[in-house]
Amino acid sequence: MLDCTPDKPLTEGAHTTGKINPIKTCQPVGAMYAALGIHGCLPHSHGSQGCCSYHRMALSRHFHEPAMASTSSFTEGASVFGGAANLKTSIKNVFAIYDPEIIAVHTTCLSETIGDDIPTIIKQSEIPEGRYVIHANTPSYHGSHVTGFSNMCKGIVSYLAESDGGEKKERANIFPGFVNPGDMREIRRIVTEMGVPSIMYPDTTGVMDSPMRKTYEMYPRGGATIAEIKESGNSKLTLSLGAWSSDEAAATLQAKCGVPGVPLRIPIGVRATDDLIMAVKEGFGVDVPESLEVERGQVIDTLIDTHFQYEGKTVAVFGDPDILVPLTEFLITMGMIPKYVVTGTPGNKFEKTVNGMLEEAGIEGSRVKAEGDLFDLHQWIKEEPVDLLIGNTHGKYIARAEDIPLVRVGFPVFDRAVHPLMPIVGYRGCLRLIEMISNALLERRDRDSLDEDYELIL
Amino acid sequence: MENECSVPTACIDERQFSIVTTGKNKSRIHCADDSLAGAVSQRACVYSGARVVLNPVTDAVHLVHGPIGCAAYTWDIRGSLSSGPEMFRQSFSTDLKERDVVFGGEKKLVACIDEVVGKYHPPAIFVYATCVVGLIGDDIVAVCKEASGRHGIDVIPVESSGFLSGNKIVGYRAAGEALLKLIRPKDGETVEKTRKLNFLGEYNLGGEKWLVERYLREMGIEINVAFTGDSTVAALKRAPGACLNLVQCSGSMHWVAMNLEKEYGTPYIDVNFFGAANTAESLRRIARFYGDEEIVRRTEALIEREMERVRPVVEKYRARLAGKRAAIYVGGAFKALAIIRQLQELGMEVVFTGTQTGKQEDYEQIGAIVSEGTVVIDDANPAEIEKFLLEKDVDMMAGGVKERFLAHKLGIGFVDHNHDRKDGLAGFDGAIRFAREVYATTCSPVWERVKKNPFEEAEG
């Protein structure tokens, strides 16, 4: 019924052009999410109204939070004469009405194609004293939402970060990557636990997971402040989590303020979390606290206690590259076989990295694809099924059509709550992933077993 | 002009005439303007309007010609249900890249159409133009025409470049044109007239078309096809054979109904199936049209039976909801009017309402049925919505996904009356469900926990 590939597996392989059921969306939504990680920021979409509406809707549905952003409200006139007047009016209106500390402008395919020169327009705009307008170019016809996130992070650095030229402070910058606020909170906790002060941005904690306060705050209390972002130029090093979402911003900060960046994976799984902790240990000469050792030990202990539940199970996983790379690594650690690994974000680096990991683990016959879509994935699953599917909500149709359990990880998740608040990073995130994965498989086993095989103890 | 706009700092001068307070002075609301640059508008674009109208056509391929975003954000968020094909739940995009924008995307569009036809053999393909496509001047009309000829199926262009307007109505028109094109009989074909009716502006959200269909069947009337809930291409092509068109969502379908009358001589009547009273009224109007005594008799029997079922439920909830204050912010005025009526039936007072796309006459109708002092806003922004939710001390709001979390943050109950509703809210069954949903959210125990916070009490 809910089938996106033709009845029989195709003999001539996957499809050749365009996308059927994409695993990516366009840049601006990533830029909007990154901008929401600055305290007092109103993201601004320089394009048609619909884009802004769609991005806000997507973020609202995933995070269960209001997502505020303004738009240049392009009409036909703007498309013919350029959007400069719209953007200037927007900047004036936004400060007058919504009074943010900072406006983060991102472009859309429309304003990019028209060729609006955003920095020049910003320079010509009326900006109140002590307020800021920054921008990122985010053409929708290039890259994906991850690229947009990365571009906005880079924009934040190039507009705001400063170095006073003095001695660097014993402090880490954290660029957390395109993850949920629950993940950001956990990453910061780990670094803090090691006794190292940090500045994290984008920081959507307290913004996209804000508590109920009985009032509506257009600019919730969370997010990195402009002062913190400026000050990040004086930190000792930057923990750059996720090559696709953070490395460019880290490189920009290094070039601009001389803060070296340590490229790391988003800390999903034991190894990536170990790497983060070791980077902090080496960077700051601190010891790993007992508390983190205990956490790690608990994960290993749990893996040992449960490994037979998922050992050798095949899994198909799809989503964003920065999530997939460490997640695939963790699945290998769990003894599972990542059979299909697909991202929608373009770039060969992804295939090289994942194939390298699979090779190292001696896993053969897997298929890895950057710039794939769910049509490809579904087609492969039809040709050779898997035991488990991991990905965003859009995977639920494949899960139903092929009768495979689905574990929801990534963006967007539209049909469940609580996920943005709960980390999948760090050692605690490992436990959560183990729980989700083994529960999915065990629920399945219980569901499928005959009465005589139905067991109390599994 | 007695416009009482009192958004203190949040009032943009240009917006003051888009906010009116109902009262003795009949001030006219400003509406159907373009949104301001820099607005946090709750509106969308032309493409979005076209997409929501056409998306429920279940067995067509909906191919979005543009960069990936436009297809991704509208992928299966409509909430329409199908009794058969699920093709409309797939997302097809030409996924335009920089190269295509520079050199034109027509070749890629042709390749995508060919691939889709080869893989799925759909009866029709809708090709949606997006912003960039309109800007670089891809001739989708020519591409579609050529592809139609080559493949022998309907490949219908939808002229929906987003920047044409910030008003979805323009998109509804583009979708309407595409539908008319699809159903126009080819040379030499004729469509036999029947006693069936078409149901325009019904999108089968949460299975609402099926609900109404059940009532009509009982009356002895068949639905020919709905525009476009749970419709197929073949069924739509039979549209000219109906003897009557019902128009529900007037914003999106009034224009289509007028054209169907012009082209095929089919009369149309406005109906509204939100709320028990509206449903009964609409069924009677339909029965009267058929002028058949047997149909009238069955209709009255049905209404009597269903009203018996609805009344105690409404009364039960009315007792608990009486005097509670409600707000409504939805896309179209048709829906706003229907919800106002239903909430009033539940004993609630509507103190604040507005729409994204209402017209002057719609707002006059709204003004006539709400009580004095109600705030009415066209194209509201979140700051305005927040302000009036608080100022008017609202207990419950009806709206769409962008309003939901705003309301929740303010400690206000919420009912989704848009794409995200999962259970039909139409007809008698819908009236029961709506009353239940309104009660459940307005009187949820969670608000007690909000009110009684021991930490605050400890701080005095």
Side-chain angles (χ1 to χ4, degrees):
Chain A
M1 165 180 111
L2 300 165
D3 207 341
C4 70
T5 67
D7 295 341
K8 295 189 186 62
L10 295 171
T11 42
E12 75 276 17
H15 71 104
T16 46
T17 184
K19 289 281 177 289
I20 304 175
N21 298 348
I23 307 179
K24 64 168 178 181
T25 179
C26 66
Q27 285 203 47
V29 77
M32 192 182 278
Y33 181 56
L36 287 165
I38 309 172
H39 177 73
C41 176
L42 190 68
H44 180 86
S45 166
H46 186 52
S48 302
Q49 253 170 213
C51 309
C52 188
S53 222
Y54 282 138
H55 306 146
R56 290 174 58 208
M57 206 153 58
L59 294 173
S60 265
R61 284 194 168 117
H62 175 87
F63 294 103
H64 302 270
E65 292 282 335
M68 287 303 148
S70 53
T71 162
S72 292
S73 302
F74 269 39
T75 52
E76 209 154 9
S79 317
V80 176
F81 304 114
N86 281 55
L87 186 53
K88 283 180 207 164
T89 310
S90 295
I91 290 171
K92 188 170 110 246
N93 277 341
V94 166
F95 280 123
I97 306 153
Y98 301 110
D99 198 29
E101 290 176 37
I102 177 169
I103 299 174
V105 180
H106 62 259
T107 55
T108 62
C109 47
L110 183 60
S111 50
E112 282 289 335
T113 309
I114 295 168
D116 282 343
D117 176 4
I118 309 294
T120 305
I121 301 171
I122 291 176
K123 280 197 189 80
Q124 297 166 344
S125 299
E126 293 169 48
I127 301 168
E129 191 58 39
R131 302 301 167 94
Y132 299 84
V133 180
I134 65 174
H135 97 282
N137 289 90
T138 49
S140 317
Y141 43 72
H142 178 80
S144 76
H145 55 292
V146 180
T147 322
F149 182 91
S150 163
N151 283 338
M152 184 50 84
C153 292
K154 203 168 76 183
I156 296 170
V157 171
S158 29
Y159 272 90
L160 298 174
E162 291 169 3
S163 156
D164 57 17
E167 197 168 330
K168 296 296 183 202
K169 298 193 171 108
E170 285 297 307
R171 185 182 57 216
N173 296 328
I174 305 170
F175 291 175
F178 197 142
V179 291
N180 285 324
D183 296 316
M184 295 182 185
R185 219 174 268 283
E186 182 65 7
I187 292 165
R188 183 166 39 211
R189 187 189 67 87
I190 291 170
V191 175
T192 307
E193 194 85 355
M194 296 180 73
V196 176
S198 60
I199 291 173
M200 177 166 71
Y201 64 94
D203 174 9
T204 58
T205 64
V207 182
M208 297 315 277
D209 63 353
S210 68
M212 167 77 186
R213 296 193 194 276
K214 289 197 229 183
T215 60
Y216 166 64
E217 293 162 341
M218 182 142 182
Y219 308 108
R221 295 172 208 187
T225 63
I226 294 170
E228 284 175 320
I229 297 170
K230 281 187 170 179
E231 176 59 26
S232 68
N234 300 319
S235 299
K236 188 174 176 183
L237 58 82
T238 302
L239 303 163
S240 172
L241 309 181
W244 282 263
S245 27
S246 302
D247 279 5
E248 281 207 13
T252 309
L253 187 60
Q254 185 155 355
K256 190 179 173 189
C257 304
V259 181
V262 185
L264 291 158
R265 290 173 181 179
I266 290 176
I268 295 170
V270 180
R271 276 175 76 172
T273 307
D274 290 350
D275 290 348
L276 169 67
I277 290 170
M278 291 311 287
V280 176
K281 177 178 159 59
E282 283 158 21
F284 295 92
V286 290
D287 290 332
V288 179
E290 168 73 5
S291 59
L292 289 176
E293 288 194 30
V294 168
E295 281 180 36
R296 185 181 193 275
Q298 287 173 323
V299 173
I300 305 297
D301 189 64
T302 307
L303 283 169
I304 294 166
D305 293 343
T306 55
H307 69 277
F308 54 90
Q309 294 171 349
Y310 37 75
E311 184 82 41
K313 298 275 187 196
T314 53
V315 51
V317 47
F318 69 94
D320 298 341
D322 283 330
I323 304 286
L324 287 194
V325 168
L327 180 60
T328 304
E329 199 287 318
F330 187 50
L331 294 169
I332 294 171
T333 296
M334 290 172 73
M336 296 176 82
I337 298 160
K339 189 95 189 117
Y340 311 123
V341 187
V342 199
T343 181
T345 299
N348 304 336
K349 190 169 46 168
F350 176 77
E351 292 179 19
K352 247 203 338 249
T353 310
V354 177
N355 280 321
M357 291 185 319
L358 293 166
E359 206 172 316
E360 192 192 333
I363 295 170
E364 285 171 9
S366 293
R367 295 171 99 156
V368 180
K369 189 172 179 182
E371 273 238 83
D373 56 22
L374 289 185
F375 180 98
D376 297 332
L377 183 62
H378 199 167
Q379 175 66 24
W380 296 343
I381 289 174
K382 274 194 177 162
E383 287 165 19
E384 198 179 338
V386 286
D387 299 309
L388 182 70
L389 181 61
I390 301 179
N392 66 34
T393 290
H394 288 298
K396 74 192 286 184
Y397 293 102
I398 299 178
R400 188 175 167 110
E402 304 307 321
D403 199 16
I404 337 169
L406 168 68
V407 167
R408 286 165 178 78
V409 169
F411 174 86
V413 172
F414 287 156
D415 61 342
R416 295 290 187 273
V418 190
H419 57 89
L421 303 146
M422 303 300 274
I424 56 167
V425 300
Y427 300 129
R428 288 179 180 184
C430 290
L431 292 178
R432 186 161 168 255
L433 283 168
I434 295 167
E435 185 175 31
M436 290 199 292
I437 288 168
S438 63
N439 282 5
L441 292 165
L442 295 176
E443 291 284 349
R444 183 50 188 263
R445 183 185 170 141
D446 273 342
R447 194 199 82 181
D448 291 350
S449 59
L450 301 166
D451 277 2
E452 57 266 42
D453 301 325
Y454 196 61
E455 281 274 20
L456 179 70
I457 298 158
L458 288 175
Chain B
M1 292 291 270
E2 279 273 320
N3 288 305
E4 287 187 45
C5 166
S6 45
V7 188
T9 54
C11 190
I12 320 168
D13 290 346
E14 290 98 323
R15 289 269 317 139
Q16 65 179 337
F17 300 114
S18 301
I19 305 173
V20 298
T21 304
T22 54
K24 297 180 190 74
N25 289 307
K26 280 275 176 259
S27 50
R28 291 168 66 84
I29 193 165
H30 246 263
C31 57
D33 293 358
D34 287 330
S35 300
L36 286 176
V40 180
S41 169
Q42 307 293 80
R43 281 182 179 169
C45 62
V46 179
Y47 161 75
S48 150
R51 186 89 170 94
V52 293
V53 169
L54 294 174
N55 182 255
V57 182
T58 56
D59 60 348
V61 161
H62 299 264
L63 173 58
V64 182
H65 186 35
I68 197 69
C70 303
Y73 301 117
T74 53
W75 176 10
D76 202 21
I77 59 166
R78 186 69 173 103
S80 331
L81 303 182
S82 163
S83 55
E86 297 286 349
M87 186 59 82
F88 74 115
R89 288 180 180 267
Q90 320 299 337
S91 176
F92 297 91
S93 169
T94 51
D95 189 19
L96 292 185
K97 301 284 173 52
E98 203 149 6
R99 268 189 61 111
D100 308 311
V101 173
V102 175
F103 298 110
E106 292 178 19
K107 273 207 189 74
K108 199 168 186 186
L109 175 58
V110 172
C112 281
I113 292 172
D114 292 353
E115 181 175 329
V116 162
V117 171
K119 281 201 166 53
Y120 297 99
H121 315 291
I125 302 176
F126 289 107
V127 176
Y128 299 79
T130 58
C131 281
V132 166
V133 166
L135 198 66
I136 62 178
D138 276 0
D139 189 348
I140 65 163
V141 177
V143 169
C144 290
K145 195 171 167 187
E146 189 276 336
S148 287
R150 211 152 33 86
H151 295 297
I153 60 166
D154 288 289
V155 183
I156 309 265
V158 186
E159 311 254 22
S160 51
S161 288
F163 61 81
L164 292 170
S165 164
N167 201 324
K168 280 199 291 205
I169 299 261
V170 180
Y172 298 157
R173 177 68 54 90
E177 279 172 1
L179 284 167
L180 290 168
K181 200 174 289 179
L182 177 73
I183 66 180
R184 206 161 283 138
K186 305 275 182 292
D187 285 341
E189 286 176 14
T190 51
V191 179
E192 196 95 358
K193 278 282 183 196
T194 64
R195 295 285 290 154
K196 295 178 180 175
L197 55 76
N198 297 326
F199 191 0
L200 275 53
E202 167 53 59
Y203 299 103
N204 204 30
L205 303 194
E208 286 170 349
K209 180 225 169 189
W210 300 332
L211 261 176
V212 175
E213 190 159 38
R214 239 180 35 221
Y215 302 147
L216 292 172
R217 266 202 190 129
E218 191 178 327
M219 290 156 56
I221 298 167
E222 283 293 322
I223 293 182
N224 183 35
V225 64
F227 281 49
T228 52
D230 193 24
S231 65
T232 60
V233 171
L236 284 166
K237 284 178 179 290
R238 291 195 297 270
C243 66
L244 171 68
N245 288 324
L246 308 180
V247 182
Q248 176 159 252
C249 175
S250 55
S252 63
M253 282 293 162
H254 193 250
W255 181 84
V256 173
M258 286 191 326
N259 277 277
L260 290 173
E261 185 168 46
K262 232 182 350 216
E263 281 187 54
Y264 309 108
T266 320
Y268 64 89
I269 54 176
D270 288 334
V271 293
N272 184 339
F273 288 102
F274 290 117
N278 283 336
T279 303
E281 208 175 294
S282 298
L283 294 177
R284 285 194 176 111
R285 207 176 299 154
I286 296 163
R288 261 204 309 278
F289 172 87
Y290 279 88
D292 174 325
E293 269 179 41
E294 181 55 16
I295 288 179
V296 171
R297 194 190 57 74
R298 286 191 200 146
T299 306
E300 289 306 324
L302 180 149
I303 290 170
E304 192 176 341
R305 186 192 69 222
E306 293 294 321
M307 281 301 209
E308 281 302 301
R309 213 158 57 90
V310 173
R311 204 168 295 123
V313 178
V314 169
E315 270 164 26
K316 180 173 115 188
Y317 291 119
R318 193 187 165 99
R320 295 169 189 176
L321 291 167
K324 297 272 188 198
R325 302 157 69 82
I328 300 163
Y329 190 76
V330 286
F334 154 81
K335 203 183 284 170
L337 282 163
I339 304 173
I340 290 169
R341 226 174 136 170
Q342 270 185 283
L343 292 172
Q344 287 171 339
E345 280 172 23
L346 287 167
M348 297 171 83
E349 193 190 352
V350 177
V351 290
F352 161 38
T353 182
T355 75
Q356 293 174 26
T357 58
K359 297 192 287 292
Q360 194 69 50
E361 53 270 33
D362 298 327
Y363 283 116
E364 276 163 24
Q365 276 183 298
I366 288 174
I369 62 168
V370 293
S371 51
E372 198 169 310
T374 297
V375 173
V376 184
I377 302 194
D378 179 65
D379 184 26
N381 61 50
E384 290 162 354
I385 293 177
E386 174 206 354
K387 174 182 150 56
F388 291 112
L389 286 178
L390 291 173
E391 209 165 273
K392 291 284 175 185
D393 194 17
V394 169
D395 299 301
M396 194 257 2
M397 181 177 197
V401 64
K402 287 200 292 288
E403 291 79 40
R404 172 182 286 277
F405 302 107
L406 190 63
H408 284 180
K409 282 283 182 259
L410 295 169
I412 292 167
F414 190 87
V415 171
D416 195 297
H417 215 299
N418 205 347
H419 310 290
D420 292 21
R421 67 181 186 264
K422 291 295 156 241
D423 299 301
L425 296 175
F428 301 108
D429 301 63
I432 291 174
R433 214 173 275 136
F434 183 70
R436 232 181 253 146
E437 278 188 30
V438 170
Y439 164 73
T441 190
T442 309
C443 304
S444 164
V446 72
W447 308 126
E448 283 304 301
R449 293 278 72 73
V450 174
K451 280 190 202 115
K452 294 184 184 145
N453 181 338
F455 309 150
E456 281 174 13
E457 284 163 23
E459 285 166 18

